[in-house]
Amino acid sequence: MRSRWGTAAAALTVAAAASVAVLPAPATAHTAPWQGKHGHHPKTHNVRLTQGADAESGAPSLSADGRYAVFVSEASNLVRGDTNGVADVFLRDLRTGRTQRVSTDAEGRQSAHGATYGAISAGGRHVVFISAAPDLIPGETHDKRSVYWRDLRTGKLRYVGNEITGNTAHARDASVSADGRYVAYESSDAVPKPGRGVAVRDMRTGELTVHPYLGVLSYGPSLSDDGRVLVYTNGQYYRPFNDVKVADARTGEYRSAYLTPEGVRGNGDVSDGRVSGNGRYVSFSSAATDLGPEDANGAGYNVFVRDLRTGALRIVEAPDPSLWTLDGRLSRDGRYLLFRAATNWSDGSWYLRDLRTGRTTPAVTDVSGRPAEALVGDQPLDARARTVAFSSEAERLARGPRSAGADAYVRRIR
């Protein structure tokens, strides 16, 4: 079978097992979070998804319409019958306020191993998660951290994968196409030597496409909505040698998004490559000083956005140009960019930049409008960048007491 990614990558065709399950009943419905007085939506509003949770929760990712949020939580009281004492993946319906656990086995039973990561398709029908549970699917044994794919409409649970090459067998990050057909994931291991790799599974055919890389690692897979464009970081543990690779499934071609006007790789560290849903734009963070756009903060980090159609590259600077910009997340049409403005890797405030008009808006604030520190997931924006999802330990982000540790939130930005 010929890989849709072309001959440049090695393709392994493996039948993906399938079994149908009925998902556990969702928790009791709450008031729909966006509904204000007389049914109107407030212009800006923080909603705590984990109100009253007895443990911390991670940053959610959103479906394209902003209706569904998927997140990881160690809490035991978000749904009934959660007694495994470990983190699980949950889905929140923002229209009905219902929360359900999705990282269960094929019969809807909880796993003793829980799950460590969750991502959602643009349409909100498919969720992928990572679990070390060996027995989620009857008749199959997967004894290392593996990626699983769930159809929320039918309850069907399928194994996606963990191994990519002979020395990478523990699944890490994952990304899913808009219709749930393609799942990209990262796998790593330390035996016989440290290594990380990226592959894409076609859930319709079972075909696995392994993407080549130089050095010892590739990581951080990011898929376009149609599954055609894959972006990942490639390089070595000595970070100045990293690159941002763009793979095109239709042509089988690979190219770099991290190039100077002379066509050579930039002179600084680069990471966090991401592709917009429409596959046209790539964002990344870099300390390079020779990429072309004038850089006000010198050797500090900035987010850059590359137009793959025209080749144009733009720098995204903070409202205070002396600050770093980090953690760029593009909207699905590539018009908006969510980013963090900071003095170092661990602090900072979040902003939304309209790349067409240049307008910059604070994206995460407390109830008084002051910026708040937060973390974001792989897809924190809805398609139109009207809603942002995040997690935070900050006070006064929403009404009511905070939970133990970080809470998961969504915010109507505009």
Side-chain angles (χ1 to χ4, degrees):
M1 180 181 296
R2 179 179 172 85
S3 169
R4 75 189 286 270
W5 292 91
T7 57
L12 303 176
T13 303
V14 181
S19 61
V20 177
V22 178
L23 290 180
T28 303
H30 303 285
T31 302
W34 297 127
Q35 186 172 334
K37 291 183 179 180
H38 310 297
H40 297 298
H41 291 168
K43 185 176 181 181
T44 59
H45 187 48
N46 289 338
V47 173
R48 184 179 289 121
L49 304 182
T50 50
Q51 183 69 49
D54 56 14
E56 68 178 356
S57 304
S61 287
L62 291 173
S63 59
D65 63 2
R67 175 172 177 175
Y68 298 101
V70 63
F71 61 94
V72 177
S73 180
E74 297 181 4
S76 65
N77 60 345
L78 295 179
V79 296
R80 296 187 296 270
D82 188 348
T83 59
N84 59 9
V86 293
D88 296 291
V89 174
F90 298 88
L91 181 80
R92 178 67 169 262
D93 185 331
L94 300 175
R95 183 178 300 170
T96 67
R98 298 189 178 200
T99 300
Q100 67 185 74
R101 183 166 44 172
V102 296
S103 55
T104 58
D105 70 11
E107 303 301 326
R109 296 181 296 256
Q110 69 178 356
S111 162
H113 293 76
T116 59
Y117 179 89
I120 189 168
S121 64
R125 175 173 174 173
H126 301 94
V127 168
V128 297
F129 62 89
I130 296 175
S131 178
D135 55 355
L136 290 181
I137 301 176
E140 297 184 23
T141 300
H142 307 289
D143 58 353
K144 298 177 181 178
R145 292 204 319 172
S146 303
V147 182
Y148 293 87
W149 173 99
R150 169 150 262 146
D151 185 328
L152 297 175
R153 185 176 301 170
T154 65
K156 182 184 295 184
L157 181 68
R158 296 172 62 182
Y159 170 76
V160 178
N162 59 21
E163 185 173 352
I164 292 179
T165 64
N167 63 339
T168 55
H170 295 273
R172 295 167 60 98
D173 292 348
S175 179
V176 60
S177 63
D179 63 359
R181 175 174 176 176
Y182 301 101
V183 179
Y185 67 92
E186 172 193 333
S187 180
S188 72
D189 206 345
V191 179
K193 65 178 181 179
R196 293 159 75 176
V198 168
V200 177
R201 174 81 73 187
D202 184 333
M203 300 305 297
R204 184 177 299 171
T205 67
E207 182 179 33
L208 182 68
T209 302
V210 179
H211 288 270
Y213 57 91
L214 301 174
V216 298
L217 59 87
S218 60
Y219 60 94
S222 176
L223 274 178
S224 61
D225 280 351
D226 62 3
R228 173 181 174 177
V229 180
L230 173 72
V231 171
Y232 59 97
T233 303
N234 170 215
Q236 303 182 24
Y237 286 103
Y238 301 101
R239 302 185 96 188
F241 296 98
N242 285 1
D243 197 358
V244 176
K245 291 293 186 185
V246 182
D248 188 312
R250 186 173 299 170
T251 65
E253 296 177 344
Y254 292 82
R255 58 172 160 160
S256 173
Y258 182 54
L259 297 176
T260 70
E262 293 71 36
V264 299
R265 194 165 53 190
N267 64 6
D269 179 26
V270 65
S271 61
D272 203 27
R274 307 275 174 171
V275 66
S276 60
N278 62 7
R280 177 171 176 174
Y281 301 95
V282 172
S283 67
F284 56 85
S285 298
S286 178
T289 59
D290 61 348
L291 294 179
E294 184 177 349
D295 187 349
N297 69 7
Y301 284 81
N302 283 110
V303 175
F304 293 83
V305 178
R306 173 81 70 185
D307 185 332
L308 296 178
R309 184 179 301 170
T310 67
L313 182 71
R314 66 186 298 170
I315 190 171
V316 178
E317 293 188 310
D320 176 353
S322 67
L323 297 178
W324 294 3
T325 56
L326 300 162
D327 300 326
R329 300 290 189 272
L330 287 161
S331 61
R332 285 185 157 88
D333 63 1
R335 174 172 176 173
Y336 296 93
L337 180 87
L338 180 73
F339 66 93
R340 180 166 59 94
T343 58
N344 57 52
W345 288 106
S346 61
D347 69 359
S349 302
W350 290 90
Y351 295 90
L352 184 73
R353 174 76 49 84
D354 185 331
L355 297 175
R356 184 180 302 170
T357 67
R359 182 183 179 188
T360 302
T361 306
V364 178
T365 65
D366 64 16
V367 293
S368 65
R370 290 178 296 189
E373 293 189 6
L375 297 174
V376 301
D378 283 345
Q379 185 50 261
L381 295 173
D382 64 359
R384 303 177 70 180
R386 291 184 172 181
T387 306
V388 61
F390 60 94
S391 65
S392 179
E393 296 184 19
E395 301 287 348
R396 303 179 67 247
L397 285 176
R399 294 179 180 178
R402 283 199 307 108
S403 305
D407 273 303
Y409 297 86
V410 290
R411 174 179 174 80
R412 181 78 65 173
I413 307 177
R414 58 189 186 89

